[in-house]
Amino acid sequence: VAVAHSEDRPWLAEGEQKREAVQQMFGEIAPTYDLLNSIISFRFHYRWREAAVRALHLKPSARVLDLCCGTGDFIRALRRRIPERQILGIDFAFPMLEIAHRKAHVPLAAGDACRIPLQRDSVDAVTVGWGIRNVPDIDAAHREIFRVLKPGGKFVSLDMARARNPLIRWSSELVSGKLLPLIGGIFRRRKAYTYLPQSTKCFRTREELAESMRQAGFVDVQYRDLCFGNICMHVGGKP
Ligand SMILES: C[S@@+](CC[C@H](N)C(=O)[O-])C[C@H]1O[C@@H](n2cnc3c(N)ncnc32)[C@H](O)[C@@H]1O
């Protein structure tokens, strides 16, 4: 059953099956990822990352890990604040990393968010954009992020959320449930753009994510809605 889920309905897959399904899916959609992101968000995704980077209050000397870096758009926002050599991007989908490599001259590494290939207390900040929803074990990823952060370091995550207002939630889910697979289908990416709204429905609530961060050790955990509550930004610090 789990295998069938990972192939046909990857948003229902769990554990190792989810890891494989997600890795394969992002490997396949890499060439059209940036274009579709801009189409479905009307290019607002750039602004949301800028807001997340501002929330980190980075010093110019900060070393930052962009985890689940994908094609490197968070790196692009970070480069405006700190030199490229202080940014590291990690992702487990090589085709996404290849595109990131073309866009930014920062160190990039293949690695899993649940087993980050860095020593403890290595970086001043960690950014994750639309990655946490996709990892097979969210609590483990939060613990790993906490481990690699230096004391005093900050973590920010942006991801999809379900709008709190029932009317907005109903209309957003209607539009994204119908329109995204349609747009994805035009680019032969129907499964991935069905995964996006479906995985958002199965995703943890903003409160549950904040609690998972606290359990991992984060303090001053806060979250802020963007895009009428369809996107949520979580921030936390390591004491
Ligand atoms: C929706 S994309 C977001 C990319 C980028 N952060 C952005 O802001 O556009 C999610 C990325 O997370 C990566 N990812 C998902 N699960 C992962 C994991 N367990 N370890 C490492 N990367 C992962 C995928 O390969 C993909 O590149």
Side-chain angles (χ1 to χ4, degrees):
V1 174
V3 172
H5 280 168
S6 68
E7 283 170 6
D8 304 335
R9 290 176 289 169
W11 53 91
L12 295 178
E14 286 177 10
E16 203 48 47
Q17 247 113 32
K18 179 172 180 182
R19 191 191 308 274
E20 281 172 24
V22 166
Q23 192 173 25
Q24 189 187 345
M25 185 178 72
F26 282 104
E28 285 169 6
I29 67 169
T32 49
Y33 176 80
D34 285 347
L35 175 65
L36 274 158
N37 242 1
S38 287
I39 293 175
I40 65 177
S41 74
F42 302 104
R43 292 180 66 84
F44 269 94
H45 64 109
Y46 293 117
R47 291 196 197 185
W48 298 326
R49 290 195 199 82
E50 293 288 344
V53 171
R54 276 198 301 277
L56 292 173
H57 302 291
L58 293 174
K59 291 190 186 140
S61 61
R63 292 193 65 211
V64 182
L65 165 65
D66 182 27
L67 189 62
C68 302
C69 67
T71 60
D73 277 344
F74 238 122
I75 294 170
R76 175 184 159 143
L78 288 164
R79 275 161 58 196
R80 292 176 211 259
R81 312 253 157 172
I82 54 170
E84 284 187 333
R85 63 177 183 282
Q86 291 161 214
I87 307 168
L88 169 67
I90 292 183
D91 199 286
F92 71 178
F94 278 100
M96 297 291 270
L97 284 173
E98 269 169 23
I99 294 172
H101 178 64
R102 275 184 242 143
K103 284 161 58 177
H105 300 106
V106 307
L108 296 169
D112 195 300
C114 300
R115 288 187 298 263
I116 304 175
L118 289 181
Q119 292 184 341
R120 68 174 56 245
D121 304 346
S122 306
V123 292
D124 299 289
V126 176
T127 55
V128 181
W130 294 274
I132 288 293
R133 179 174 33 93
N134 299 308
V135 303
D137 185 340
I138 291 173
D139 300 329
H142 282 151
R143 285 194 298 271
E144 275 294 87
I145 293 165
F146 186 84
R147 181 183 65 79
V148 301
L149 271 175
K150 291 180 191 169
K154 269 195 155 189
F155 162 50
V156 66
S157 169
L158 282 173
D159 217 314
M160 307 308 293
R162 300 184 82 183
R164 291 179 220 236
N165 179 306
L167 196 64
I168 296 181
R169 185 167 63 234
W170 178 79
S171 45
S172 300
E173 287 179 358
L174 188 74
V175 171
S176 62
K178 299 260 181 251
L179 202 63
L180 292 188
L182 209 71
I183 296 174
I186 296 171
F187 293 85
R188 297 165 164 239
R189 306 282 189 249
R190 177 177 283 276
K191 191 160 80 177
Y193 288 86
T194 304
Y195 171 86
L196 178 56
Q198 292 297 339
S199 62
T200 302
K201 277 191 188 170
C202 308
F203 191 31
R204 292 199 189 171
T205 63
R206 32 181 83 61
E207 293 81 11
E208 286 167 349
L209 286 173
E211 185 50 29
S212 167
M213 286 171 63
R214 284 188 207 101
Q215 289 295 325
F218 285 100
V219 293
D220 300 328
V221 176
Q222 291 176 8
Y223 48 87
R224 176 184 150 201
D225 281 350
L226 301 163
C227 188
F228 310 105
N230 289 299
I231 307 276
C232 190
M233 173 164 85
H234 282 75
V235 186
K238 179 165 174 175

